[in-house]
Amino acid sequence: MSLLVVGLSHRSAPVSVLERAALSADAQIKLLQDTVAAEPAAEAAVLATCNRIELYADVDKFHAGVAELSTLLAQHSGVGLEELTPYLYVHYEDRAVHHFFSVACGLDSMVVGEGQILGQIKDALATAQELHTAGRLLNDLFQQALRVGKRAHSETGIDRAGQSLVTFGLEQLSSGAPADAWLKGKRALVIGAGSMSSLAAATLARAGVAELVVANRTFDRAERLAALLAEQYGQRPAEPDDVDVLARAVPMESVPDELTRADVVVSCTGATGLVLTADLVAEAVEGRTGAPAVERAADSGSDSDSVRSGLPPTSVGSEDGCPLDLSAVQGSAAQGSAVQGSAVQGASGFSVMGEAAVAGMDAATLEQHAAWVDNGTVDRREGRRTPEIDTDAVAALAAAAATLGRVPERRRPEPVAEVPRPLPVLSLLDLAMPRDIDAAVHRLLGVRLVDIESLAEASADAPMAADVDQVRRIVSDEVAAFDAAQRAAHITPTVVALRAMAADVVASEIARLDGRLPGLDDKQRGEITQTVRRVVDKLLHAPTVRVKQLAAEPGGAGYADALRTLFDLDAETVAAVSRADDDSRDHNSAALGGLDFGRENFDSNNFESAENRGRA
């Protein structure tokens, strides 16, 4: 086994790089074809989701394989190799198996424990089988990974460690409130009709949204999804807890109109450009509220100015004889510094004795200012003397200025008024990679946007469940079992070739006996033949069973070579047995319908199956 994986994910690369490196369906097909056409690789499969791109291959040379796979990823992703290389990771043989099984269990997902990755692995294997780029190694690997993932979810509480990306995103939109309670009664728009969009639609329907609209470029698929939603979650008034979802399909051209009615929008398409621009969302908000959409930055700035303009003047002390360049100091103060706990009001007044006044002053000027302050100036507005000045503190400032060349500037921030913000009238969840929704819409008042990048930030500090340790132990055990099975499988063609050779020897000797004893009847000939075969079987049984056991242990690959050498087995015969075994496995897979898990289909009888077909 020479399994190699080269890839990048949300753990190794920023979202901006993942977005640019995203592979379309056609690009994935071309990547697989070019990989198996390359010299180092015999098999290939691509696992491409919204937060990872991984190329798996069976290679005969490690260094050549890494170079070739990295180059192919760069070529087909459109990101230059030099730019892409710092974000790539490489796993080989056992480490590659361990990584893939961890991925299948959701340990490497953005939301730990999510089950959507199992559907993505099924899709990746189905594509590789359809293109005939997956051979024995990758078929075994992907099938085992699916079993490991299912085992982790059934035997542990890994599901409690995380949620599906859809549920996690909806909870981020609801600011941590229970998604079901927040969604109940809202109008929802789902853009796209693929696996992730179907999962989002099912989640929204279960939560009890009042209306669910599905928009897709292929209108037939939108209609089919809407019909399934209506069938599963439609008119069922018999039970008081049943939801009543009005699901309908619309063409993509109707999205601008639907935006003016929707409360929640989930978008996950395969588009290479933006589906919702900032201008389109702004128009939708204006159409819904009747007022132009305003950017938050401009709004917060005006509030800050109004708060600042209402503050009282803070000038204390006379300016007569002050050695400062008052115009320069006032101009500096007007930029927003706070003096001795008092706020500053432009150039209309400031404390000529505070730290802000002397900040940046050289040592000689500071000494002059200290002497002037020490004379005790009078505030002529009230006829009061200014507060006494701590000469020790001024001396310390002078010493600091002599050392640093200037007075260290220590300012207290101005008090900032909390400006209440209105609740969003439109909540957007973008689960596409590359993104469907312009990131600039987050600046619009009345709009809340959650996308892959913000989900990555929100999940970075999510607590890990105790069950994760148990899943890691499962992964380790399964890696060892897979490794042993692969080593044992490696010797199987040799054992089969040995038994075939023994059968040929038996047949040859029985034929020679017939020539020497032509008078034997059929019963006698049958007894002799059976006896010879039993003798050969008994002689071969113990060594063949033992060699399989030894081959499953670390370093056991050499036993196959020893067996071939001892019995002088032809290498081409062993290879022919291996090829015949692969053909038989492919035939059996086809007879069972293969592993085409219906990437375009949606099970109306088990709507939850969409969770295992996500594109996350």
Side-chain angles (χ1 to χ4, degrees):
M1 177 186 66
S2 299
L3 177 66
L4 175 66
V5 55
V6 178
L8 68 161
S9 73
H10 65 100
R11 295 185 183 274
S12 68
V15 174
S16 57
V17 175
L18 284 172
E19 187 176 27
R20 292 171 51 210
L23 296 172
S24 65
D26 291 340
Q28 292 179 42
I29 292 174
K30 191 67 169 63
L31 174 59
L32 285 174
Q33 293 172 339
D34 289 351
T35 301
V36 294
E39 182 178 349
E43 304 177 31
V46 174
L47 180 60
T49 73
C50 64
N51 54 31
R52 77 177 60 251
I53 302 168
E54 295 179 342
L55 179 56
Y56 291 79
D58 182 9
V59 298
D60 56 4
K61 299 176 183 177
F62 173 73
H63 294 289
V66 171
E68 187 67 30
L69 266 60
S70 302
T71 301
L72 289 171
L73 272 177
Q75 289 177 353
H76 291 279
S77 69
V79 180
L81 181 60
E82 291 184 0
E83 183 181 359
L84 191 65
T85 298
Y87 305 113
L88 293 177
Y89 49 78
V90 175
H91 299 294
Y92 189 55
E93 293 188 336
D94 288 353
R95 291 303 307 168
V97 177
H98 189 280
H99 169 77
F100 190 44
F101 287 0
S102 297
V103 168
C105 293
L107 293 181
D108 199 58
S109 296
M110 184 179 296
V111 181
V112 175
E114 57 89 15
Q116 298 171 35
I117 188 65
L118 291 175
Q120 297 157 353
I121 291 174
K122 289 178 182 178
D123 288 346
L125 178 56
T127 299
Q129 287 178 332
E130 183 180 347
L131 297 173
H132 304 289
T133 63
R136 172 189 290 180
L137 175 60
L138 292 185
N139 270 294
D140 289 348
L141 176 71
F142 275 66
Q143 295 277 17
Q144 182 84 355
L146 292 172
R147 288 191 290 269
V148 173
K150 292 176 181 178
R151 179 187 170 191
H153 285 280
S154 63
E155 296 183 12
T156 74
I158 189 65
D159 292 322
R160 296 193 298 268
Q163 311 135 302
S164 72
L165 204 61
V166 172
T167 304
F168 188 66
L170 291 172
E171 288 194 353
Q172 293 302 306
L173 281 179
S174 63
S175 301
D180 288 356
W182 177 72
L183 287 168
K184 194 158 188 73
K186 284 183 167 55
R187 291 178 297 234
L189 169 64
V190 175
I191 303 177
S195 299
M196 181 64 82
S197 300
S198 300
L199 173 59
T203 304
L204 292 167
R206 285 197 304 270
V209 294
E211 182 183 41
L212 185 56
V213 180
V214 181
N216 193 58
R217 296 189 185 281
T218 305
F219 184 65
D220 290 344
R221 294 189 62 191
E223 279 190 317
R224 185 162 63 250
L225 177 56
L228 291 172
L229 289 166
E231 177 184 347
Q232 188 75 11
Y233 300 102
Q235 305 286 340
R236 292 182 300 167
E239 298 293 334
D241 293 334
D242 280 349
V243 295
D244 183 7
V245 178
L246 174 62
R248 57 188 176 89
V250 298
M252 287 294 290
E253 294 77 15
S254 301
V255 166
D257 293 334
E258 296 297 335
L259 281 177
T260 62
R261 306 178 65 252
D263 301 304
V264 181
V265 178
V266 180
S267 185
C268 186
T269 72
T272 55
L274 293 175
V275 176
L276 299 182
T277 63
D279 291 340
L280 182 61
V281 174
E283 291 175 2
V285 173
E286 181 177 354
R288 180 162 185 170
T289 63
V294 182
E295 291 195 0
R296 289 192 176 96
D299 179 73
S300 60
S302 61
D303 289 338
S304 178
D305 291 341
S306 64
V307 171
R308 192 177 294 116
S309 64
L311 295 172
T314 60
S315 177
V316 293
S318 169
E319 302 167 359
D320 295 343
C322 180
L324 301 178
D325 180 0
L326 296 178
S327 61
V329 177
Q330 289 176 349
S332 174
Q335 294 177 1
S337 63
V339 180
Q340 300 278 344
S342 301
V344 176
Q345 185 194 12
S348 62
F350 67 97
S351 171
V352 295
M353 300 177 190
E355 286 185 19
V358 297
M361 193 182 299
D362 59 48
T365 307
L366 178 64
E367 290 179 0
Q368 295 177 17
H369 180 263
W372 173 75
V373 169
D374 196 38
N375 290 332
T377 58
V378 177
D379 186 344
R380 295 176 181 173
R381 295 175 302 171
E382 301 289 344
R384 299 190 301 263
R385 287 187 61 84
T386 59
E388 293 184 2
I389 302 300
D390 188 347
T391 55
D392 291 338
V394 175
L397 284 173
T403 302
L404 303 176
R406 55 181 291 275
V407 175
E409 190 169 349
R410 297 185 300 166
R411 302 183 180 185
R412 297 179 182 176
E414 291 185 14
V416 178
E418 291 290 336
V419 180
R421 299 196 184 281
L423 293 175
V425 298
L426 185 60
S427 298
L428 307 171
L429 177 58
D430 186 358
L431 298 175
M433 183 63 71
R435 70 185 73 215
D436 280 347
I437 304 175
D438 190 347
V441 306
H442 82 280
R443 295 198 299 262
L444 298 174
L445 281 176
V447 177
R448 176 162 171 72
L449 170 66
V450 171
D451 56 16
I452 292 295
E453 190 166 9
S454 57
L455 286 176
E457 294 173 357
S459 63
D461 298 327
M464 300 285 286
D467 299 275
V468 170
D469 289 336
Q470 186 178 351
V471 173
R472 290 191 176 122
R473 287 192 292 270
I474 289 175
V475 168
S476 297
D477 292 344
E478 291 286 353
V479 170
F482 181 81
D483 192 27
Q486 289 299 307
R487 287 192 296 263
H490 179 70
I491 204 171
T492 298
T494 302
V495 172
V496 172
L498 174 61
R499 288 189 171 277
M501 184 189 73
D504 290 341
V505 171
V506 169
S508 175
E509 290 300 319
I510 293 299
R512 195 164 70 91
L513 183 64
D514 284 342
R516 289 186 175 186
L517 301 173
L520 292 175
D521 57 30
D522 292 341
K523 182 178 180 181
Q524 293 171 330
R525 185 182 296 106
E527 286 290 342
I528 294 172
T529 301
Q530 188 67 21
T531 299
V532 174
R533 286 176 177 171
R534 280 199 300 267
V535 170
V536 172
D537 286 342
K538 288 182 178 180
L539 288 174
L540 291 180
H541 176 73
T544 53
V545 170
R546 184 60 179 153
V547 78
K548 286 183 178 181
Q549 294 172 345
L550 293 172
E553 299 175 358
Y559 288 99
D561 297 332
L563 205 61
R564 286 193 296 269
T565 301
L566 289 172
F567 287 92
D568 195 22
L569 297 175
D570 181 44
E572 180 56 34
T573 302
V574 175
V577 173
S578 181
R579 288 193 299 270
D581 183 50
D582 288 342
D583 292 342
S584 176
R585 290 157 63 93
D586 292 342
H587 174 74
N588 291 337
S589 177
L592 294 174
L595 280 174
D596 186 0
F597 290 88
R599 286 169 289 165
E600 304 299 329
N601 296 329
F602 198 81
D603 186 3
S604 60
N605 295 322
N606 182 14
F607 225 73
E608 298 295 325
S609 64
E611 293 185 5
N612 289 332
R613 298 187 184 138
R615 174 186 169 271

